[in-house]
Amino acid sequence: MAGGDEKKSKAGGGDAKKPNAGGGAKKPNVSGGGKKKEVKKETGLGLVNRKDENFGEWYSEVVVNAELIEYYDISGCYILRPWTMAIWEEMQKFFDAEIKKMDIQNCYFPLFVSPGVLQKEKDHVEGFAPEVAWVTKSGESELEVPIAIRPTSETVMYPYYSKWIRGHRDLPLKLNQWCNVVRWEFSHPTPFIRSREFLWQEGHTAFATKAEADEEYLAIPVIKGKKSELEKFAGGLYTTSVEAFVPNTGRGIQGATSHCLGQNFAKMFEINFENEKGEKGMAWQNSWAYSTRTIGVMVMVHGDDKGLVLPPKVASVQVIVIPVPYKDADTQGIYDACSATVASLTEAGIRAKADFRDNYSPGWKYSHWELKGVPLRIEIGPKDLANNQVRAVRRDNSAKTDIPRDNLVDQVKEMLDNIQQSLFDAAKQKRDACIQTVKTWDEFVEALSQRKMIFAPWCDEEEVEVDVKARTKGEMGACKSLCSPFDQPELPEGTKCFASGKPAKKWTYWGRSY
Amino acid sequence: MAGGDEKKSKAGGGDAKKPNAGGGAKKPNVSGGGKKKEVKKETGLGLVNRKDENFGEWYSEVVVNAELIEYYDISGCYILRPWTMAIWEEMQKFFDAEIKKMDIQNCYFPLFVSPGVLQKEKDHVEGFAPEVAWVTKSGESELEVPIAIRPTSETVMYPYYSKWIRGHRDLPLKLNQWCNVVRWEFSHPTPFIRSREFLWQEGHTAFATKAEADEEYLAIPVIKGKKSELEKFAGGLYTTSVEAFVPNTGRGIQGATSHCLGQNFAKMFEINFENEKGEKGMAWQNSWAYSTRTIGVMVMVHGDDKGLVLPPKVASVQVIVIPVPYKDADTQGIYDACSATVASLTEAGIRAKADFRDNYSPGWKYSHWELKGVPLRIEIGPKDLANNQVRAVRRDNSAKTDIPRDNLVDQVKEMLDNIQQSLFDAAKQKRDACIQTVKTWDEFVEALSQRKMIFAPWCDEEEVEVDVKARTKGEMGACKSLCSPFDQPELPEGTKCFASGKPAKKWTYWGRSY
């Protein structure tokens, strides 16, 4: 799963956020109000901005016009409309089932953290402190002690892990929660990608279990690897992640991450247990998360100038059926054929819906559902009725196919599978075309100016990364390491670090990032 | 559904909360830590407190020892452990499906509310203001304007309803969200019943749709009716509710409520539309909610001195299968029979689990799963194996039945249905025994001292209710109106109000309440 994750690294604070990827803070003037009136005048629902020309404005426009998001009167907070929630529910349904298969249990810990607990792990709190929201008042009364809103729940949960874990039989302890978290960021809020409140799941396991999201689910190609010391989760031992890439902006984006917390937190929170021999042990812990941020990545990667393009697996409407009546034609027959089509597809487990609204033309409906990203459109007109067929139009490539009605379900299933795979393949191809391998600083600078995702041999030294960030700091934001892939190409003896000239230790991806 | 609801009435602030129902603020000294060690010394897992003798302490003990709740280091906040979340997930699954059947769509609005919007509906904000939590700082910076955490989402949502609703075709607008809300109450926090953060669903429909929860689901008998002017939702037109009753404390408790908001909010937030004739109309609105509070009511109503008693419909483990090996017996055969039993039940859609742990005796396991409230226990020992049967023991009445293995699924299904019904019937019987009809003030005072739920003819005047509350204010907390049932008995001409002696207008339930 190309999950979006917002777990915090030491270096996560400022520089990477400069560029305004989404133009998100501004309210676009194309939003919903009065739309229907415009519609009656215009035939199309076209977007004003084009993805290749003005990516940030395009993104803001598409998330609003496709009714994923409504801008809210508090900056950095967004309303997740039903079209978004349906996607998130599909993702939850899938992932929650996976979680349960792994014998991980759901729980719910409080939204609030007391300052003493929050500050227990020093590196951890330093990573999060600047953007913690504090409750200091209730009604008219000042609280005796300010109380933090969780930016993540390690410090919320682990004191109780310490209490619940006594003996080896209490391990592994594997809990997950679906909840909201708050990070009061001030730089460039962008719907889904960078918001002050977001929804996620956070898994917290004491004793190792590897949790890795299915990367195919959103049809987004990702690179699995390990984060650098500078970019790892604050307070953890090491962090692995899946990294996606947005070709249009040349920016990497961290997907789902897993953090091996090692024993750092166990030490601070005294998560100890007595083993079989009666000896004292200290728990090893992992935490991992993925969030609504993934939805933003999906929009950025697959969307086009007509709007959203939803992968069938997460689309709440996979097939939209549209009647195309014509003057003298058998309108009732067409409507009945539409209803029958929806019924057959629904029965076969396909999420299908018909649009029978009589105040919109078929053409308007085509544009509307294209804007909303529905993977497959089925049109039924007089000719289709006569031939006992339907016309299917793919959202991803506009290909039209006539399907005999008695072969409907099989062919639609196949097309949906095909769309899912094509979206992944197309995204991978575009992403791969953006990857450039470099060996020297000059090549690196050149590739960065071309918005590439850069693959380079590195000495793996923290000060060198700090230096790279300092030297690339500019209007577009600094470049940083994304991850060192698990799958390492050969590194011939004598290869030098692209940045320091010292002996290289590993291949690492670099780029600007969200 | 005997749902718990925490929508706020004008009068909801102080007096009704005085009595310490749960003893909840104190951390009982019987909680989880080191339990297993105690266990190895003791055979039983008995509760220290008895429901009839010391209800508040019993409640605190049972929610902790059954592993529903862990007390948290911030007063009024509780950790919902997996045993609770599994119940809540069953309730969500049921209710979310009902919501979707009614074409209500899920969405997610922000946790935060700006003060201007919160204060827009005057009566509404007065009802909630004293317990709103305010965020005033992020990191080290003061916010320019303090931001409230939602106590409920009317004011969060309705400005956008105003934007989205333009014409009659945009109605009805029916949205729901599952989320957390915060009410910073200071009086007597009690797990589930009165907590500073809780989980709920809140439905908000523009244009009328009646949403009424299934009252049978938690096997709790409820009374459907209308709240008085004093007790209705702040800012609404009128409030209907289902009211449950806890015989042990003689207190009513509001379950799921629906509020007819009338056009008050539509007026304040300008939720207008153009009708078919091009005339301007104003939306009518409802909101309705039920919350994790219901779980507390379930514990209070059904629990006994052995611990929780879960209705089968919400139990995540409906049947616990326990092997009872004996010295010379065929231990492997017994274990296999247990596994086969779980497999048969699971296949039939029954939530069954075996407890194969080898470090606990069968007797300990019986007590453990009784404490956790599992509706049906199946024991398999050498004799059962020989007779190709299992022994089933009901949690609610301890009845033992031998079931032939080839009739297992049918009989278990029947028993679970029976348990669900019995729990409801028993609770109803107990509740009914507590209802007393009175006609005069003296009878009323006498009945109140006996912790009855009182049914009385009333003049329906607000000042009379205020007076009743004043006159009954004491150590136990004041008595208030619970609801006027839709199903009204005859009110003979000339019947007088029990409190004012004026002509009575309706029959109303009265009592102390949570």
Side-chain angles (χ1 to χ4, degrees), chain A residues 294-354:
Chain A
T294 43
I295 298 173
V297 181
M298 180 197 72
V299 173
M300 289 184 173
V301 169
H302 299 308
D304 64 21
D305 290 343
K306 292 185 195 167
L308 280 188
V309 180
L310 297 178
K313 284 195 183 173
V314 298
S316 63
V317 179
Q318 296 173 313
V319 179
I320 185 75
V321 178
I322 297 172
V324 190
Y326 195 72
K327 310 181 212 169
D328 305 324
D330 172 10
T331 304
Q332 189 57 47
I334 289 172
Y335 274 59
D336 290 347
C338 288
S339 298
T341 300
V342 169
S344 308
L345 294 175
T346 306
E347 201 183 329
I350 295 164
R351 298 187 286 271
K353 218 179 115 165

Side-chain angles (χ1 to χ4, degrees), chain A residues 27 31-37 40 70-74 77-83 85-86 89 96 100 105-114 117 129-141 143 146-150 155-156 160 163-164 166 169-170 175 178 180 182 184 186 196-197 199 274 353 357-360, chain B residues 27 31-37 40 70-74 77-83 85-86 89 96 100 105-114 117 129-141 143 146-150 155-156 160 163-164 166 169-170 175 178 180 182 184 186 196-197 199 274 353 357-360:
Chain A
K27 190 158 169 175
S31 61
K35 192 169 63 188
K36 287 190 180 164
K37 285 208 179 134
K40 281 175 184 167
E70 182 73 69
Y71 281 75
Y72 189 64
D73 74 335
I74 296 173
C77 294
Y78 307 95
I79 297 164
L80 306 183
R81 301 187 69 178
W83 200 242
M85 280 311 284
E89 284 180 10
D96 197 64
K100 287 184 168 126
Q105 295 182 297
N106 282 336
C107 60
Y108 186 77
F109 280 74
L111 176 68
F112 298 115
V113 203
S114 59
V117 170
E131 52 194 50
V132 168
W134 292 94
V135 175
T136 63
K137 272 177 65 180
S138 74
E140 294 295 313
S141 325
L143 298 188
I147 287 174
I149 299 181
R150 63 180 164 219
T155 59
V156 173
Y160 300 90
K163 181 172 183 186
W164 295 330
R166 298 281 150 170
R169 289 181 191 274
D170 301 323
L175 298 180
W178 295 94
N180 54 347
V182 171
W184 206 264
F186 283 94
R196 286 178 172 171
E197 180 194 6
L199 303 181
E274 199 175 83
K353 218 179 115 165
R357 287 177 292 176
D358 56 8
N359 56 324
Y360 296 111
Chain B
K27 190 157 169 176
S31 60
K35 192 170 62 185
K36 288 194 181 163
K37 287 214 177 128
K40 281 178 184 165
E70 183 73 69
Y71 281 76
Y72 189 63
D73 74 335
I74 296 172
C77 294
Y78 306 95
I79 297 163
L80 305 183
R81 300 188 69 179
W83 200 241
M85 281 311 284
E89 284 179 11
D96 197 64
K100 286 182 170 130
Q105 295 182 296
N106 283 335
C107 60
Y108 186 78
F109 280 74
L111 176 68
F112 297 114
V113 202
S114 59
V117 171
E131 51 194 52
V132 169
W134 292 93
V135 175
T136 63
K137 272 177 65 178
S138 75
E140 294 295 312
S141 325
L143 299 187
I147 287 174
I149 300 181
R150 63 179 164 220
T155 59
V156 173
Y160 300 90
K163 180 171 184 187
W164 295 329
R166 298 281 150 171
R169 289 180 191 274
D170 301 323
L175 298 180
W178 294 95
N180 54 346
V182 170
W184 207 264
F186 284 94
R196 286 179 171 169
E197 180 194 8
L199 303 181
E274 198 176 84
K353 217 178 114 165
R357 288 178 290 176
D358 56 11
N359 56 324
Y360 296 110

Side-chain angles (χ1 to χ4, degrees), chain A residues 420-436:
Chain A
Q420 181 83 20
Q421 187 61 43
S422 296
L423 285 175
F424 178 82
D425 292 344
K428 185 166 189 310
Q429 202 176 3
K430 262 197 223 157
R431 198 272 319 267
D432 289 348
C434 292
I435 296 179
Q436 186 153 336

Side-chain angles (χ1 to χ4, degrees), chain B residues 487-499:
Chain B
D487 188 9
Q488 287 274 326
E490 209 199 323
L491 192 65
E493 188 71 32
T495 305
K496 299 220 182 327
C497 171
F498 77 100

Side-chain angles (χ1 to χ4, degrees), chain B residues 40-51:
Chain B
K40 281 178 184 165
K41 291 175 210 153
E42 303 180 301
T43 324
L45 283 165
L47 299 174
V48 172
N49 296 288
R50 302 193 57 178
K51 191 176 181 186

